[in-house]
mmCIF file of all heavy atoms in Angstrom:
data_model
loop_
_atom_site.group_PDB
_atom_site.id
_atom_site.type_symbol
_atom_site.label_atom_id
_atom_site.label_comp_id
_atom_site.label_asym_id
_atom_site.label_seq_id
_atom_site.Cartn_x
_atom_site.Cartn_y
_atom_site.Cartn_z
ATOM 1 N N ASP A 231 -37.393 28.754 36.715
ATOM 2 C CA ASP A 231 -38.296 29.041 37.833
ATOM 3 C C ASP A 231 -39.603 29.651 37.355
ATOM 4 O O ASP A 231 -40.627 29.506 38.011
ATOM 5 C CB ASP A 231 -37.622 30.017 38.805
ATOM 6 C CG ASP A 231 -36.400 29.419 39.466
ATOM 7 O OD1 ASP A 231 -36.563 28.647 40.419
ATOM 8 O OD2 ASP A 231 -35.282 29.726 39.024
ATOM 9 N N ASP A 232 -39.562 30.359 36.229
ATOM 10 C CA ASP A 232 -40.737 31.057 35.728
ATOM 11 C C ASP A 232 -40.578 31.209 34.227
ATOM 12 O O ASP A 232 -39.496 31.007 33.662
ATOM 13 C CB ASP A 232 -40.858 32.432 36.398
ATOM 14 C CG ASP A 232 -42.285 32.978 36.364
ATOM 15 O OD1 ASP A 232 -43.127 32.383 35.665
ATOM 16 O OD2 ASP A 232 -42.529 33.994 37.037
ATOM 17 N N TYR A 233 -41.649 31.545 33.553
ATOM 18 C CA TYR A 233 -41.587 31.746 32.105
ATOM 19 C C TYR A 233 -42.337 33.019 31.741
ATOM 20 O O TYR A 233 -43.214 33.493 32.470
ATOM 21 C CB TYR A 233 -42.172 30.543 31.365
ATOM 22 C CG TYR A 233 -43.685 30.482 31.437
ATOM 23 C CD1 TYR A 233 -44.479 31.031 30.424
ATOM 24 C CD2 TYR A 233 -44.322 29.903 32.530
ATOM 25 C CE1 TYR A 233 -45.854 31.003 30.505
ATOM 26 C CE2 TYR A 233 -45.699 29.869 32.623
ATOM 27 C CZ TYR A 233 -46.459 30.412 31.600
ATOM 28 O OH TYR A 233 -47.823 30.395 31.673
ATOM 29 N N LEU A 234 -41.982 33.581 30.608
ATOM 30 C CA LEU A 234 -42.636 34.779 30.076
ATOM 31 C C LEU A 234 -42.897 34.582 28.592
ATOM 32 O O LEU A 234 -42.040 34.083 27.866
ATOM 33 C CB LEU A 234 -41.744 36.019 30.282
ATOM 34 C CG LEU A 234 -41.488 36.456 31.723
ATOM 35 C CD1 LEU A 234 -40.346 37.461 31.766
ATOM 36 C CD2 LEU A 234 -42.742 37.068 32.332
ATOM 37 N N GLY A 235 -44.094 34.962 28.167
ATOM 38 C CA GLY A 235 -44.406 34.898 26.750
ATOM 39 C C GLY A 235 -43.692 36.015 25.997
ATOM 40 O O GLY A 235 -43.871 37.189 26.309
ATOM 41 N N LYS A 236 -42.886 35.668 25.030
ATOM 42 C CA LYS A 236 -42.045 36.660 24.360
ATOM 43 C C LYS A 236 -42.857 37.596 23.473
ATOM 44 O O LYS A 236 -42.553 38.782 23.365
ATOM 45 C CB LYS A 236 -40.970 35.955 23.538
ATOM 46 C CG LYS A 236 -39.869 36.881 23.038
ATOM 47 C CD LYS A 236 -38.721 36.103 22.431
ATOM 48 C CE LYS A 236 -37.582 37.039 22.041
ATOM 49 N NZ LYS A 236 -36.453 36.292 21.449
ATOM 50 N N LYS A 237 -43.910 37.091 22.838
ATOM 51 C CA LYS A 237 -44.662 37.920 21.895
ATOM 52 C C LYS A 237 -45.559 38.927 22.608
ATOM 53 O O LYS A 237 -45.700 40.068 22.165
ATOM 54 C CB LYS A 237 -45.508 37.019 20.983
ATOM 55 C CG LYS A 237 -44.679 36.198 20.012
ATOM 56 C CD LYS A 237 -45.565 35.379 19.086
ATOM 57 C CE LYS A 237 -44.729 34.587 18.081
ATOM 58 N NZ LYS A 237 -45.600 33.768 17.187
ATOM 59 N N ASN A 238 -46.167 38.507 23.651
ATOM 60 C CA ASN A 238 -47.111 39.398 24.337
ATOM 61 C C ASN A 238 -46.610 39.781 25.727
ATOM 62 O O ASN A 238 -47.384 39.878 26.673
ATOM 63 C CB ASN A 238 -48.482 38.725 24.437
ATOM 64 C CG ASN A 238 -48.411 37.389 25.158
ATOM 65 O OD1 ASN A 238 -47.330 36.867 25.384
ATOM 66 N ND2 ASN A 238 -49.573 36.844 25.499
ATOM 67 N N ILE A 239 -45.308 39.976 25.840
ATOM 68 C CA ILE A 239 -44.728 40.295 27.141
ATOM 69 C C ILE A 239 -45.247 41.648 27.621
ATOM 70 O O ILE A 239 -45.303 42.624 26.860
ATOM 71 C CB ILE A 239 -43.187 40.290 27.070
ATOM 72 C CG1 ILE A 239 -42.594 40.493 28.468
ATOM 73 C CG2 ILE A 239 -42.660 41.327 26.115
ATOM 74 C CD1 ILE A 239 -41.100 40.270 28.507
ATOM 75 N N SER A 240 -45.664 41.715 28.881
ATOM 76 C CA SER A 240 -46.196 42.939 29.468
ATOM 77 C C SER A 240 -45.141 43.526 30.397
ATOM 78 O O SER A 240 -44.634 42.830 31.287
ATOM 79 C CB SER A 240 -47.478 42.618 30.248
ATOM 80 O OG SER A 240 -47.798 43.670 31.128
ATOM 81 N N THR A 241 -44.822 44.810 30.181
ATOM 82 C CA THR A 241 -43.798 45.452 31.012
ATOM 83 C C THR A 241 -44.174 45.437 32.486
ATOM 84 O O THR A 241 -43.344 45.064 33.333
ATOM 85 C CB THR A 241 -43.546 46.883 30.527
ATOM 86 O OG1 THR A 241 -43.065 46.843 29.177
ATOM 87 C CG2 THR A 241 -42.523 47.571 31.406
ATOM 88 N N PRO A 242 -45.399 45.830 32.881
ATOM 89 C CA PRO A 242 -45.758 45.767 34.307
ATOM 90 C C PRO A 242 -45.662 44.351 34.869
ATOM 91 O O PRO A 242 -45.229 44.157 36.005
ATOM 92 C CB PRO A 242 -47.189 46.291 34.337
ATOM 93 C CG PRO A 242 -47.312 47.138 33.112
ATOM 94 C CD PRO A 242 -46.478 46.442 32.084
ATOM 95 N N GLU A 243 -46.061 43.362 34.074
ATOM 96 C CA GLU A 243 -45.989 41.975 34.550
ATOM 97 C C GLU A 243 -44.539 41.544 34.722
ATOM 98 O O GLU A 243 -44.186 40.888 35.712
ATOM 99 C CB GLU A 243 -46.700 41.044 33.569
ATOM 100 C CG GLU A 243 -46.664 39.585 34.015
ATOM 101 C CD GLU A 243 -47.301 38.657 32.986
ATOM 102 O OE1 GLU A 243 -47.843 39.153 31.982
ATOM 103 O OE2 GLU A 243 -47.234 37.429 33.206
ATOM 104 N N LEU A 244 -43.686 41.907 33.772
ATOM 105 C CA LEU A 244 -42.266 41.570 33.873
ATOM 106 C C LEU A 244 -41.655 42.173 35.136
ATOM 107 O O LEU A 244 -40.933 41.503 35.876
ATOM 108 C CB LEU A 244 -41.521 42.062 32.632
ATOM 109 C CG LEU A 244 -39.983 41.964 32.672
ATOM 110 C CD1 LEU A 244 -39.542 40.520 32.866
ATOM 111 C CD2 LEU A 244 -39.384 42.546 31.395
ATOM 112 N N ILE A 245 -41.966 43.441 35.400
ATOM 113 C CA ILE A 245 -41.418 44.113 36.588
ATOM 114 C C ILE A 245 -41.934 43.452 37.863
ATOM 115 O O ILE A 245 -41.185 43.257 38.830
ATOM 116 C CB ILE A 245 -41.778 45.612 36.555
ATOM 117 C CG1 ILE A 245 -41.058 46.293 35.375
ATOM 118 C CG2 ILE A 245 -41.401 46.278 37.862
ATOM 119 C CD1 ILE A 245 -41.463 47.738 35.160
ATOM 120 N N ALA A 246 -43.226 43.084 37.856
ATOM 121 C CA ALA A 246 -43.798 42.436 39.043
ATOM 122 C C ALA A 246 -43.147 41.081 39.297
ATOM 123 O O ALA A 246 -42.819 40.731 40.441
ATOM 124 C CB ALA A 246 -45.306 42.278 38.862
#
Side-chain angles (χ1 to χ4, degrees):
D231 295 281
D232 203 350
Y233 74 94
L234 294 166
K236 192 171 185 180
K237 291 183 178 179
N238 57 348
I239 185 170
S240 163
T241 299
E243 180 184 355
L244 172 60
I245 294 174

